[in-house]
Amino acid sequence: MKSTQVALGVVLAITCMIGRVSGQAGPPKFEELRTPTSPAFTILGITPAQVEHPGTPSAFAVSFLNGIGAPGDEGDNFALETAPFWWVRHPKLTFEAYQNRGLKSLYQDLTVSFAVTDSAPAGREAPDGFRRMGIGVRVPLLTGTQRAPACVDTLVTRLANVRRPATAKWVDLINQPENRSRISVDSTLLDQLYEEAVAEVLGPDSVLISDESVAQCAAELRVRQGFVLDLAAGTGLHFEGARAENADFGSFGIWATPAYLTRHGGLAGVLRAQWQDLDLEESTTTYDAGLRGIRAMERWIISGEAIVRRLNGGDTGSNLVRISGIFDLEVTPKTWLTVTVGRDFNADERQSLLALVNFQWNLGNTKPERPANLIRQ
Amino acid sequence: MPSRFEKYTVTDDSSIVLDVLIGEAQPGGTTVFLGTNEIAHTEPGKSGMNVKGLDLGKGANLRGKLLAISTDVLDLRETDKASVTIVLHDGPVETNVTQSKDGSPFTSVNFLTVIEFI
């Protein structure tokens, strides 16, 4: 522990010194270029506080019509994300079949996002009645391997083992002559008898498995490994005077995130092309290509990102580079040290190397969730 | 919990075969009783989560008995849907009994199905 504390002191001293030398705003955000979960929100540059998730066609229609509002009305910002495949029931789609869905993910996992905002794009002023609408789709082209985590079998087995004696008691009850003659005419009797059996065998307030353990297992189930490829596209429309006849394309973007993910991290490429201000004479186009990597262990996490950007605006073009890295270390069981270093696209190239490289450090009490930033899981 | 009672007409010489499918891509398990005897239960990692091709016997031997099926479904998907489908095969004839429940994210749902053979 003593050597760890000394090392911590040295790291803090160095990072404080370098932090004062640089005097810049801070390293770039690591996760900025991942394939967006909801392209419609990203293309509009908004982060909605509330997102609706309609689960049926009728719910989607109501949400959509409420969100888009009548032309000319003052409307609040609105955001919606939905997976159309799950609008209808799939009573014969088994757990195993879905885990091994392969290219069926093209339609089974496709999500659509939609957003409306009255805010202006960054750097522009919005006239009265200005409204923007974003529409996006996201599809995992390759889903990698989604092995069922051990918790699935554990929870199912635990549930069955605990419930089986109560079920056996219930079967005894429904086969008793006085009940058997009634179950075909009394639709509530099956439930009543089961509740009686559970109360007798397991106790009146029995909790078979906790909701927390199910939620935690659900999170584990979403983890992907192996080769994955996520694609997304989104477009933004402008409505002067919030009227449909004044619609104009404002922006368009496409994203691709090919990656190889392992249990302890992975390597991901990031590809993005985005066109902004398409309704103006001088629009801008941004092309990004980069690589990101993460290694996450029990007591430390190291992650890095390098991105090359081609920026075209009007008759000019420029090439920019961004590099960032994060190192997280568990100093004590309840303390994590995070050191970040980075050079953003807009760093001043006339300054010294130290001034170009920006260090920051932070202490937190929870383990950072860096792998979740590599690609949406 | 969702429950359902159905009557199923059998023919004397036909073998009745049972499938129990947990849908909506959710995991779960099933226990099957014929009369008061447990005749099958699923075991994750071994027999799988679904009952497939369980031979219940000839119709003549089933008539008058109750088939009781208890199915637990874990809602682990973001879809927030759970369902179970009981499929009875009487030769080429297939009868489906489906129960479903929405709106219980990250919980377990117990489906009870009772079929009386007549």
Side-chain angles (χ1 to χ4, degrees), chain B residues 11-25:
Chain B
T11 48
D12 286 351
D13 296 331
S14 287
S15 286
I16 309 300
V17 175
L18 173 73
D19 295 336
V20 182
L21 301 175
I22 296 170
E24 315 301 342

Side-chain angles (χ1 to χ4, degrees), chain A residues 222-358:
Chain A
R222 287 195 292 272
V223 172
R224 297 183 291 175
Q225 292 186 28
F227 287 104
V228 301
L229 173 58
D230 285 357
L231 302 176
T235 187
L237 302 168
H238 294 173
F239 296 87
E240 300 288 345
R243 300 190 69 83
E245 59 266 32
N246 296 336
D248 211 348
F249 278 103
S251 53
F252 180 74
I254 52 176
W255 296 261
T257 312
Y260 184 78
L261 305 176
T262 68
R263 190 179 168 198
H264 293 294
L267 196 64
V270 284
L271 300 167
R272 182 181 78 162
Q274 194 162 341
W275 294 263
Q276 295 282 10
D277 299 327
L278 292 171
D279 54 329
L280 302 180
E281 285 189 8
E282 291 196 357
S283 62
T284 58
T285 309
T286 308
Y287 302 100
D288 292 307
L291 202 62
R292 312 173 65 199
I294 287 176
R295 179 75 174 165
M297 302 306 287
E298 191 66 26
R299 298 192 61 193
W300 58 267
I301 306 168
I302 189 164
S303 50
E305 176 183 84
I307 295 167
V308 178
R309 169 170 291 178
R310 174 68 184 174
L311 186 64
N312 293 334
D315 298 329
T316 62
S318 55
N319 293 315
L320 305 167
V321 175
R322 187 175 83 171
I323 299 171
S324 67
I326 305 175
F327 181 66
D328 304 287
L329 177 68
E330 185 188 49
V331 183
T332 73
K334 289 188 175 178
T335 308
W336 279 80
L337 168 70
T338 296
V339 179
T340 55
V341 54
R343 175 193 188 281
D344 213 338
F345 292 123
N346 57 0
D348 186 349
E349 295 184 359
R350 289 172 300 180
Q351 294 183 23
S352 68
L353 181 63
L354 269 183
L356 296 176
V357 178
N358 196 331

Side-chain angles (χ1 to χ4, degrees), chain B residues 95-112:
Chain B
T95 303
N96 291 340
V97 178
T98 297
Q99 294 193 75
S100 55
K101 188 171 187 289
D102 294 349
S104 304
F106 307 136
T107 58
S108 64
V109 182
N110 181 232
F111 293 98
L112 300 173

Side-chain angles (χ1 to χ4, degrees), chain A residues 5 28 43 50 65 69 130 135 141 164 176 180 187 212 221 229 265 278 293 328-329 355:
Chain A
Q5 288 172 333
I43 203 73
Q50 191 172 352
L65 292 174
F130 185 80
I135 302 169
L141 190 61
R164 189 169 294 131
Q176 288 174 3
R180 187 162 170 178
S187 60
E212 291 76 16
L221 186 58
L229 173 58
L278 292 171
D328 304 287
L329 177 68

Side-chain angles (χ1 to χ4, degrees), chain A residues 39-41 43-44 113-117 132-136 234-237 239:
Chain A
F41 312 160
I43 203 73
L44 295 181
S113 52
F114 172 73
V116 177
T117 179
R132 292 187 296 149
M133 179 194 302
I135 302 169
T235 187
L237 302 168
F239 296 87

Side-chain angles (χ1 to χ4, degrees), chain A residues 7 19 30 60 80 96 98 133 182 228 260 271 309 361:
Chain A
F30 186 78
F60 172 76
L80 172 157
E96 293 89 348
Y98 183 74
M133 179 194 302
R182 293 166 54 209
V228 301
Y260 184 78
L271 300 167
R309 169 170 291 178
W361 61 272

Side-chain angles (χ1 to χ4, degrees), chain A residues 86 90 93 99 163 180 191, chain B residues 3 24-25 64 72 77 81:
Chain A
W86 296 104
H90 302 282
L93 177 59
Q99 289 296 107
R163 206 188 283 278
R180 187 162 170 178
D191 286 357
Chain B
S3 60
E24 315 301 342
D72 289 303
R77 307 287 187 189
K81 290 181 169 72

